[in-house]
Amino acid sequence: MCRIYGTFNIHSDEAELRRVADLMHHGGPDAQGVAHRSDWALGNNRLSIMDPEGGAQPYHLGRVTVVFNGEIYNHRDLRERLTGLGFHFDDQCDGSILPALYLTYGDRFAEHLDGMYSVAVMDLRSTPRMVLATDDSGMKPLYYQWEQATGRFHFASELPALLGFSGVRAEEDEAGLDAYLTSKTPFGDRTMFRGIQVMPPAATAVLSHRDGLRIKQRPMAHERGLRPDKDRTLDEAGEQLRALLYEEVSRLLVADAPVAAVTSGGLDSSLVTALAAEALRAAGGLGSLHTFNIAYTGTWPSDERAFAAEVARAAGTRHHQVEVDPATFPDLMTDVVRHLGQPNADPITLSTFSLFRAVRDAGFKVALTGDAADELFSGYSRMTQAVAAHHGSDWIDDYLDHLAAVPRSLRESLYTDEYSFAVNAVGSSLPAEIRRVLHSSPGTRLQRIGAVEQRYRLPAYHLRRVDHLSMASSVEVRVPFCQPSVVRFASTLTDAQRLVPGQGVKRALYRSAQGLIPRSVLERPKQPFTLPVTAMLAPGQRLWTLARDVLSPRTLRADGRIRPERVDALFDEQATRPSDSVSLALWSLMSHQLWRQEFFAAAGATTGAPLTLHTPARVLQEAAA
C-alpha cells in the first residue's frame, strides 16, 4: 500500500515533487522514490506491507517505469507465470511483477490482476506514453487534472497532494454544493474542484502526445452477464458464500506486517472477524487475532460495543475497545476534512479517522473490515422500500432521495433564488446514466439498484472515505467483500436470496453466518455503523457550538447559496425536536463550510472576512455557454 503521483507533458523540478510527496507522507512513511525526466515524472510513498526489504519503487524494467498503490493478491501466480516466460525478479514484493506484466500484456495488464490497486506506467520504448489503471471496485482512487489544450496532465492518490503541484489550482466547483447535498459526495468522475476529476473504477487511461487522454472502462464484475442461479437454494447459497469468504479472508491475512480486524458488532464485520480468527488458527498462526471496536465516552444511542465484545469472545480474539470523547470531535473535524479532500456527508468519518489512528497506535499496519457487504448483498432499507414500492409508483425518485444528505424538498427550501436558478440551469447533479440504469437497463428492479450502488455510490461515497481515513494513519484496509470472486458470486444470487420485504435483507449472507457468530448478533435489528449525530448535535455539546459558529448568518450570506434564515430554522428545530434528517442536514452544511475554510482560506473564511465566492454568476455563465 502506498501513495503515487506523477505528471505527463510537463516539467516538475525536485522541489515540487518533494512537496507533493510530503503532502501524502502519512500514506507511505516507510520510503519515498521518484523518477523524472524533462517532461514526465512518477513518484511513490511506500507503506511496506509485503517484502519490506524489497519492492523499492519506482520499478524499472528496460524503458518501462512503474509506480503502484495497493495490494496484488495473486502476485505469486503471476510471478510464476512470468518467470516461465523468462522474466527474473529480485524480490518477493507483490508490485515487482508489474513491469513484466505490462510488457507481456500491454494496456490490458490490469485484466490479470486480483487485488486493490492504482498503477501508473511510463513507457518510453517508442513514442512516450503513460498508462494508468484502477481496480475493479474503485478501492484505490486516482485524482487527475487534464488540460486538453496544452496536453498537461497531473495525477495523485489524494486531492490535497494533487493541489500541491504548482500547475493545479484549487478552484471550487460552485455547483458541486448541490451535487454534494444530493448524493453526500459527488458521484462519477466529478469532484468538488473545478477541472479536477477522479478515475472511474475498473478503468485504464492511456496518455500520449498524439492522442491525448483516452479512458476505457472494463466491465465491472456485476456487468459481465452473470445470471442468477435459480436452482440453488438459500441454504446452498449461504454455504457456498461462507466457503468463498473463508478462502478470501485467508488470502487477505497474508502480509509481512501485523494484521488486525475491525469489529463493529454488526453482521458484516463480525463474519469477517470470525472467519479470520478461524483461518489464523487453521494456519497455525501464533497468538490471537486482534480486533478493534470504537465507542464514545458517555451514554449514547446505537452503542454496539457489547455486541462487538461478544463476537470477539466467541471468536477468541484479543479485543481492543477504543473510546473517543465527543468533546474532541470539533478539534478532529479539520483533520478529517483535509484528509478526505472534499466533503463526505457521513458523520462516521470522525469515527473512522479515530478508529484507524488507534489501530496504528497499537502497532498494526493492516486491518480487515466488513465494508461493501450492504451494497453487494442488498442490505439497505432504501433497497427494500424500492422493491416493495408498487408498480407505477415514483420509486426511482424516492430511492435517489434516500441517497441524499439533504432531501430534495429541503434542499430546494435552503437554496437562495439565485442558486436555485443556477443549479436548475446546469441540470441534474447526478450522472445521467444513473436514471437510465434505474429506469430501463436489463434486470430486475433490485439488480438495477445494485448496479447503481456498485458503480457509483460504493467507490465515491464509501471506498474513498475508507481509503483516505485509514491511510491518514498509515493503515492499509483490506476488504474481503470487494474481492472479485465475491463480487461475481453476489451477481449469481436471486433477488429472494438478497432481500424479501418483510422477511429480511442480505439473506444469503445471514445464512452463511449461522452457527459462526453469536445469535444475538444474527437476530438483532440491522443498524448502520454510524456516529449518533442526532444526539451529539444538541445545545450544550461542542459540536453544536462549532456548527453554529461555522454556519453563521454572516458566512452564509457571503457565500450566497444557502438562506441563513432557513439554517437558523433548522437549528431551532434540532434544538426542540431533534431528528436524523435535520441533524444530517446541519452536519452536511457544516462539513461543506469547513472544507471551504480548509482549501480556500484565501477567500477569507479563516480571517473573518466575508467569503468572496461569486457563485450564481459563474454557474450562469457556464449554463449559458
mmCIF file of all heavy atoms in Angstrom, residues 136-166:
data_model
loop_
_atom_site.group_PDB
_atom_site.id
_atom_site.type_symbol
_atom_site.label_atom_id
_atom_site.label_comp_id
_atom_site.label_asym_id
_atom_site.label_seq_id
_atom_site.Cartn_x
_atom_site.Cartn_y
_atom_site.Cartn_z
ATOM 1 N N ASP A 136 -11.110 -3.038 -9.918
ATOM 2 C CA ASP A 136 -12.485 -3.262 -10.367
ATOM 3 C C ASP A 136 -13.547 -2.608 -9.491
ATOM 4 O O ASP A 136 -14.651 -2.312 -9.969
ATOM 5 C CB ASP A 136 -12.772 -4.765 -10.454
ATOM 6 C CG ASP A 136 -12.103 -5.394 -11.669
ATOM 7 O OD1 ASP A 136 -11.404 -4.665 -12.399
ATOM 8 O OD2 ASP A 136 -12.278 -6.610 -11.887
ATOM 9 N N SER A 137 -13.261 -2.411 -8.199
ATOM 10 C CA SER A 137 -14.263 -1.818 -7.315
ATOM 11 C C SER A 137 -14.003 -0.352 -7.018
ATOM 12 O O SER A 137 -14.863 0.315 -6.452
ATOM 13 C CB SER A 137 -14.323 -2.589 -5.989
ATOM 14 O OG SER A 137 -14.839 -3.885 -6.183
ATOM 15 N N GLY A 138 -12.837 0.153 -7.375
ATOM 16 C CA GLY A 138 -12.508 1.542 -7.094
ATOM 17 C C GLY A 138 -11.994 1.746 -5.684
ATOM 18 O O GLY A 138 -12.239 2.791 -5.064
ATOM 19 N N MET A 139 -11.248 0.752 -5.161
ATOM 20 C CA MET A 139 -10.743 0.869 -3.788
ATOM 21 C C MET A 139 -9.583 1.840 -3.663
ATOM 22 O O MET A 139 -9.353 2.397 -2.597
ATOM 23 C CB MET A 139 -10.321 -0.511 -3.273
ATOM 24 C CG MET A 139 -11.499 -1.419 -2.963
ATOM 25 S SD MET A 139 -10.992 -3.060 -2.373
ATOM 26 C CE MET A 139 -10.721 -3.889 -3.933
ATOM 27 N N LYS A 140 -8.808 2.016 -4.733
ATOM 28 C CA LYS A 140 -7.629 2.881 -4.700
ATOM 29 C C LYS A 140 -7.798 4.021 -5.704
ATOM 30 O O LYS A 140 -7.515 3.866 -6.895
ATOM 31 C CB LYS A 140 -6.368 2.067 -5.025
ATOM 32 C CG LYS A 140 -6.032 0.988 -4.017
ATOM 33 C CD LYS A 140 -5.645 1.587 -2.671
ATOM 34 C CE LYS A 140 -6.585 1.128 -1.603
ATOM 35 N NZ LYS A 140 -6.355 1.765 -0.309
ATOM 36 N N PRO A 141 -8.266 5.166 -5.270
ATOM 37 C CA PRO A 141 -8.599 6.253 -6.197
ATOM 38 C C PRO A 141 -7.377 6.939 -6.807
ATOM 39 O O PRO A 141 -6.285 6.928 -6.245
ATOM 40 C CB PRO A 141 -9.389 7.232 -5.316
ATOM 41 C CG PRO A 141 -8.930 6.940 -3.930
ATOM 42 C CD PRO A 141 -8.585 5.490 -3.874
ATOM 43 N N LEU A 142 -7.601 7.526 -7.964
ATOM 44 C CA LEU A 142 -6.609 8.390 -8.617
ATOM 45 C C LEU A 142 -7.319 9.659 -9.073
ATOM 46 O O LEU A 142 -8.254 9.605 -9.876
ATOM 47 C CB LEU A 142 -5.991 7.696 -9.840
ATOM 48 C CG LEU A 142 -4.740 6.848 -9.648
ATOM 49 C CD1 LEU A 142 -4.240 6.371 -11.011
ATOM 50 C CD2 LEU A 142 -3.651 7.622 -8.924
ATOM 51 N N TYR A 143 -6.871 10.784 -8.555
ATOM 52 C CA TYR A 143 -7.407 12.077 -8.979
ATOM 53 C C TYR A 143 -6.480 12.665 -10.038
ATOM 54 O O TYR A 143 -5.257 12.460 -9.982
ATOM 55 C CB TYR A 143 -7.510 13.024 -7.786
ATOM 56 C CG TYR A 143 -8.388 12.505 -6.675
ATOM 57 C CD1 TYR A 143 -7.841 11.803 -5.596
ATOM 58 C CD2 TYR A 143 -9.760 12.695 -6.703
ATOM 59 C CE1 TYR A 143 -8.650 11.317 -4.576
ATOM 60 C CE2 TYR A 143 -10.577 12.213 -5.686
ATOM 61 C CZ TYR A 143 -10.006 11.524 -4.626
ATOM 62 O OH TYR A 143 -10.809 11.045 -3.623
ATOM 63 N N TYR A 144 -7.062 13.403 -10.976
ATOM 64 C CA TYR A 144 -6.202 13.942 -12.018
ATOM 65 C C TYR A 144 -6.738 15.261 -12.547
ATOM 66 O O TYR A 144 -7.921 15.588 -12.413
ATOM 67 C CB TYR A 144 -6.057 12.943 -13.173
ATOM 68 C CG TYR A 144 -7.318 12.693 -13.968
ATOM 69 C CD1 TYR A 144 -7.616 13.440 -15.113
ATOM 70 C CD2 TYR A 144 -8.226 11.701 -13.595
ATOM 71 C CE1 TYR A 144 -8.768 13.211 -15.852
ATOM 72 C CE2 TYR A 144 -9.370 11.457 -14.319
ATOM 73 C CZ TYR A 144 -9.638 12.215 -15.449
ATOM 74 O OH TYR A 144 -10.789 11.986 -16.179
ATOM 75 N N GLN A 145 -5.828 16.014 -13.158
ATOM 76 C CA GLN A 145 -6.204 17.208 -13.927
ATOM 77 C C GLN A 145 -5.591 17.075 -15.312
ATOM 78 O O GLN A 145 -4.376 16.885 -15.452
ATOM 79 C CB GLN A 145 -5.709 18.485 -13.267
ATOM 80 C CG GLN A 145 -6.201 19.731 -14.025
ATOM 81 C CD GLN A 145 -5.650 21.021 -13.450
ATOM 82 O OE1 GLN A 145 -4.460 21.292 -13.527
ATOM 83 N NE2 GLN A 145 -6.522 21.816 -12.869
ATOM 84 N N TRP A 146 -6.434 17.166 -16.304
ATOM 85 C CA TRP A 146 -6.019 17.033 -17.697
ATOM 86 C C TRP A 146 -6.381 18.321 -18.430
ATOM 87 O O TRP A 146 -7.544 18.715 -18.479
ATOM 88 C CB TRP A 146 -6.728 15.819 -18.327
ATOM 89 C CG TRP A 146 -6.805 15.818 -19.821
ATOM 90 C CD1 TRP A 146 -7.947 15.902 -20.587
ATOM 91 C CD2 TRP A 146 -5.724 15.697 -20.753
ATOM 92 N NE1 TRP A 146 -7.650 15.848 -21.914
ATOM 93 C CE2 TRP A 146 -6.293 15.724 -22.057
ATOM 94 C CE3 TRP A 146 -4.347 15.577 -20.609
ATOM 95 C CZ2 TRP A 146 -5.505 15.625 -23.197
ATOM 96 C CZ3 TRP A 146 -3.580 15.480 -21.751
ATOM 97 C CH2 TRP A 146 -4.150 15.500 -23.018
ATOM 98 N N GLU A 147 -5.356 18.970 -18.980
ATOM 99 C CA GLU A 147 -5.593 20.186 -19.764
ATOM 100 C C GLU A 147 -5.500 19.821 -21.236
ATOM 101 O O GLU A 147 -4.387 19.621 -21.771
ATOM 102 C CB GLU A 147 -4.561 21.252 -19.400
ATOM 103 C CG GLU A 147 -4.622 21.692 -17.952
ATOM 104 C CD GLU A 147 -3.505 22.677 -17.621
ATOM 105 O OE1 GLU A 147 -2.995 23.338 -18.543
ATOM 106 O OE2 GLU A 147 -3.135 22.762 -16.445
ATOM 107 N N GLN A 148 -6.630 19.719 -21.863
ATOM 108 C CA GLN A 148 -6.655 19.252 -23.241
ATOM 109 C C GLN A 148 -5.903 20.192 -24.181
ATOM 110 O O GLN A 148 -5.218 19.749 -25.112
ATOM 111 C CB GLN A 148 -8.105 19.095 -23.718
ATOM 112 C CG GLN A 148 -8.239 18.467 -25.098
ATOM 113 C CD GLN A 148 -9.673 18.147 -25.419
ATOM 114 O OE1 GLN A 148 -10.596 18.504 -24.683
ATOM 115 N NE2 GLN A 148 -9.903 17.459 -26.532
ATOM 116 N N ALA A 149 -6.006 21.493 -23.919
ATOM 117 C CA ALA A 149 -5.384 22.462 -24.823
ATOM 118 C C ALA A 149 -3.860 22.359 -24.821
ATOM 119 O O ALA A 149 -3.205 22.517 -25.862
ATOM 120 C CB ALA A 149 -5.818 23.879 -24.438
ATOM 121 N N THR A 150 -3.293 22.093 -23.657
ATOM 122 C CA THR A 150 -1.836 22.039 -23.535
ATOM 123 C C THR A 150 -1.295 20.618 -23.491
ATOM 124 O O THR A 150 -0.091 20.411 -23.674
ATOM 125 C CB THR A 150 -1.379 22.763 -22.258
ATOM 126 O OG1 THR A 150 -1.932 22.069 -21.120
ATOM 127 C CG2 THR A 150 -1.875 24.210 -22.246
ATOM 128 N N GLY A 151 -2.179 19.649 -23.210
ATOM 129 C CA GLY A 151 -1.733 18.263 -23.074
ATOM 130 C C GLY A 151 -1.071 17.975 -21.737
ATOM 131 O O GLY A 151 -0.493 16.902 -21.550
ATOM 132 N N ARG A 152 -1.155 18.894 -20.795
ATOM 133 C CA ARG A 152 -0.512 18.701 -19.492
ATOM 134 C C ARG A 152 -1.403 17.863 -18.581
ATOM 135 O O ARG A 152 -2.636 18.057 -18.529
ATOM 136 C CB ARG A 152 -0.198 20.044 -18.834
ATOM 137 C CG ARG A 152 0.869 20.816 -19.614
ATOM 138 C CD ARG A 152 1.327 22.046 -18.872
ATOM 139 N NE ARG A 152 0.247 23.033 -18.744
ATOM 140 C CZ ARG A 152 0.428 24.259 -18.320
ATOM 141 N NH1 ARG A 152 1.638 24.660 -17.971
ATOM 142 N NH2 ARG A 152 -0.584 25.088 -18.224
ATOM 143 N N PHE A 153 -0.781 16.945 -17.853
ATOM 144 C CA PHE A 153 -1.518 16.000 -17.026
ATOM 145 C C PHE A 153 -0.823 15.840 -15.678
ATOM 146 O O PHE A 153 0.386 15.641 -15.616
ATOM 147 C CB PHE A 153 -1.578 14.641 -17.750
ATOM 148 C CG PHE A 153 -2.361 13.572 -17.035
ATOM 149 C CD1 PHE A 153 -3.741 13.499 -17.166
ATOM 150 C CD2 PHE A 153 -1.714 12.634 -16.244
ATOM 151 C CE1 PHE A 153 -4.468 12.508 -16.507
ATOM 152 C CE2 PHE A 153 -2.431 11.638 -15.585
ATOM 153 C CZ PHE A 153 -3.807 11.571 -15.725
ATOM 154 N N HIS A 154 -1.609 15.946 -14.588
ATOM 155 C CA HIS A 154 -1.121 15.696 -13.239
ATOM 156 C C HIS A 154 -2.036 14.663 -12.602
ATOM 157 O O HIS A 154 -3.253 14.676 -12.833
ATOM 158 C CB HIS A 154 -1.161 16.960 -12.366
ATOM 159 C CG HIS A 154 -0.360 18.115 -12.875
ATOM 160 N ND1 HIS A 154 -0.812 18.972 -13.871
ATOM 161 C CD2 HIS A 154 0.857 18.581 -12.499
ATOM 162 C CE1 HIS A 154 0.097 19.914 -14.081
ATOM 163 N NE2 HIS A 154 1.120 19.702 -13.277
ATOM 164 N N PHE A 155 -1.487 13.794 -11.760
ATOM 165 C CA PHE A 155 -2.337 12.874 -11.011
ATOM 166 C C PHE A 155 -1.730 12.631 -9.633
ATOM 167 O O PHE A 155 -0.523 12.836 -9.410
ATOM 168 C CB PHE A 155 -2.519 11.546 -11.751
ATOM 169 C CG PHE A 155 -1.317 10.638 -11.707
ATOM 170 C CD1 PHE A 155 -1.157 9.719 -10.685
ATOM 171 C CD2 PHE A 155 -0.340 10.707 -12.686
ATOM 172 C CE1 PHE A 155 -0.057 8.870 -10.631
ATOM 173 C CE2 PHE A 155 0.782 9.882 -12.642
ATOM 174 C CZ PHE A 155 0.921 8.954 -11.608
ATOM 175 N N ALA A 156 -2.601 12.173 -8.694
ATOM 176 C CA ALA A 156 -2.149 11.832 -7.337
ATOM 177 C C ALA A 156 -3.216 10.986 -6.669
ATOM 178 O O ALA A 156 -4.395 11.012 -7.049
ATOM 179 C CB ALA A 156 -1.880 13.093 -6.512
ATOM 180 N N SER A 157 -2.803 10.248 -5.639
ATOM 181 C CA SER A 157 -3.741 9.392 -4.907
ATOM 182 C C SER A 157 -4.686 10.181 -4.016
ATOM 183 O O SER A 157 -5.717 9.658 -3.600
ATOM 184 C CB SER A 157 -2.970 8.393 -4.032
ATOM 185 O OG SER A 157 -2.166 7.537 -4.805
ATOM 186 N N GLU A 158 -4.322 11.423 -3.696
ATOM 187 C CA GLU A 158 -5.151 12.239 -2.809
ATOM 188 C C GLU A 158 -5.284 13.637 -3.397
ATOM 189 O O GLU A 158 -4.340 14.167 -4.016
ATOM 190 C CB GLU A 158 -4.541 12.311 -1.404
ATOM 191 C CG GLU A 158 -4.452 10.945 -0.712
ATOM 192 C CD GLU A 158 -3.859 11.050 0.693
ATOM 193 O OE1 GLU A 158 -3.608 12.185 1.154
ATOM 194 O OE2 GLU A 158 -3.643 10.001 1.306
ATOM 195 N N LEU A 159 -6.433 14.261 -3.132
ATOM 196 C CA LEU A 159 -6.684 15.598 -3.666
ATOM 197 C C LEU A 159 -5.724 16.662 -3.114
ATOM 198 O O LEU A 159 -5.207 17.472 -3.902
ATOM 199 C CB LEU A 159 -8.135 15.994 -3.373
ATOM 200 C CG LEU A 159 -9.178 15.435 -4.338
ATOM 201 C CD1 LEU A 159 -10.580 15.552 -3.750
ATOM 202 C CD2 LEU A 159 -9.097 16.133 -5.687
ATOM 203 N N PRO A 160 -5.464 16.698 -1.809
ATOM 204 C CA PRO A 160 -4.532 17.740 -1.333
ATOM 205 C C PRO A 160 -3.161 17.638 -1.991
ATOM 206 O O PRO A 160 -2.511 18.664 -2.243
ATOM 207 C CB PRO A 160 -4.462 17.462 0.175
ATOM 208 C CG PRO A 160 -5.746 16.786 0.508
ATOM 209 C CD PRO A 160 -6.049 15.933 -0.686
ATOM 210 N N ALA A 161 -2.709 16.425 -2.259
ATOM 211 C CA ALA A 161 -1.405 16.270 -2.918
ATOM 212 C C ALA A 161 -1.470 16.754 -4.359
ATOM 213 O O ALA A 161 -0.529 17.410 -4.850
ATOM 214 C CB ALA A 161 -0.973 14.811 -2.866
ATOM 215 N N LEU A 162 -2.557 16.441 -5.048
ATOM 216 C CA LEU A 162 -2.698 16.928 -6.424
ATOM 217 C C LEU A 162 -2.648 18.454 -6.462
ATOM 218 O O LEU A 162 -2.040 19.058 -7.359
ATOM 219 C CB LEU A 162 -4.023 16.422 -7.018
ATOM 220 C CG LEU A 162 -4.307 16.788 -8.471
ATOM 221 C CD1 LEU A 162 -3.264 16.186 -9.403
ATOM 222 C CD2 LEU A 162 -5.707 16.339 -8.886
ATOM 223 N N LEU A 163 -3.270 19.078 -5.461
ATOM 224 C CA LEU A 163 -3.254 20.539 -5.399
ATOM 225 C C LEU A 163 -1.873 21.078 -5.037
ATOM 226 O O LEU A 163 -1.632 22.277 -5.123
ATOM 227 C CB LEU A 163 -4.282 21.025 -4.371
ATOM 228 C CG LEU A 163 -5.744 20.712 -4.722
ATOM 229 C CD1 LEU A 163 -6.649 21.012 -3.531
ATOM 230 C CD2 LEU A 163 -6.197 21.497 -5.945
ATOM 231 N N GLY A 164 -0.955 20.186 -4.633
ATOM 232 C CA GLY A 164 0.409 20.594 -4.327
ATOM 233 C C GLY A 164 1.240 20.869 -5.560
ATOM 234 O O GLY A 164 2.305 21.502 -5.472
ATOM 235 N N PHE A 165 0.803 20.403 -6.731
ATOM 236 C CA PHE A 165 1.508 20.750 -7.971
ATOM 237 C C PHE A 165 1.275 22.228 -8.282
ATOM 238 O O PHE A 165 0.141 22.730 -8.172
ATOM 239 C CB PHE A 165 0.984 19.908 -9.141
ATOM 240 C CG PHE A 165 1.473 18.484 -9.143
ATOM 241 C CD1 PHE A 165 0.607 17.432 -8.884
ATOM 242 C CD2 PHE A 165 2.807 18.199 -9.431
ATOM 243 C CE1 PHE A 165 1.052 16.121 -8.904
ATOM 244 C CE2 PHE A 165 3.264 16.883 -9.454
ATOM 245 C CZ PHE A 165 2.386 15.842 -9.179
ATOM 246 N N SER A 166 2.323 22.885 -8.697
ATOM 247 C CA SER A 166 2.206 24.321 -8.948
ATOM 248 C C SER A 166 1.241 24.623 -10.097
ATOM 249 O O SER A 166 0.668 25.707 -10.159
ATOM 250 C CB SER A 166 3.588 24.914 -9.253
ATOM 251 O OG SER A 166 4.181 24.238 -10.352
#
